[in-house]
Amino acid sequence: QVRLVESGGGAVQAGGSLRLSCAASGRAFSLIPITWRRQAPGKEREFVAETDWWGGKTSYADSVKGRFTISRDNAKNTVYLQMNNVKPDDTAVYYCFAAPNYWGQGTQVTVSS
């Protein structure tokens, strides 16, 4: 079983930065692609960013492209989401996900203007 624990969320002003972490334990972490998703109040959970098992291929939602960066440190069993130039619309609970059905508990990000 894979366990995922997010951290690093908090309150930040628009234009600022945050770095989220997703620490994993259980299975062979390096072989599992990791996806960041977020859920804002009143909305469904949406895709944010994804990295493959080795971190060489990444993808991003259009809404965060150029501002967020996903990275992976397999030695530490951790995936990061660097959030730069954040906007109020980035306010959400951020989750990390691993196939087939593993989710963390989420970490709250609140961006004020």
Side-chain angles (χ1 to χ4, degrees), residues 11-63:
V12 63
Q13 294 185 9
S17 298
L18 284 174
R19 189 185 192 187
L20 307 184
S21 298
C22 173
S25 63
R27 296 187 187 180
F29 176 75
S30 63
L31 301 180
I32 304 176
I34 297 294
T35 299
W36 282 99
R37 290 181 174 262
R38 67 187 183 186
Q39 187 166 22
K43 296 185 177 180
E44 295 184 351
R45 199 167 297 182
E46 65 177 358
F47 170 82
V48 176
E50 185 173 47
T51 181
D52 63 9
W53 69 270
W54 58 285
K57 177 177 172 58
T58 59
S59 61
Y60 300 90
D62 288 340
S63 60

Side-chain angles (χ1 to χ4, degrees), residues 67-103:
R67 300 187 297 117
F68 292 7
T69 302
I70 187 170
S71 61
R72 186 168 188 158
D73 187 340
N74 288 330
K76 297 181 179 179
N77 283 357
T78 301
V79 173
Y80 303 97
L81 184 68
Q82 179 67 45
M83 306 167 59
N84 295 328
N85 192 25
V86 296
K87 304 176 180 179
D89 285 346
D90 295 324
T91 295
V93 178
Y94 285 72
Y95 302 87
C96 57
F97 167 81
N101 192 32
Y102 300 106
W103 296 89

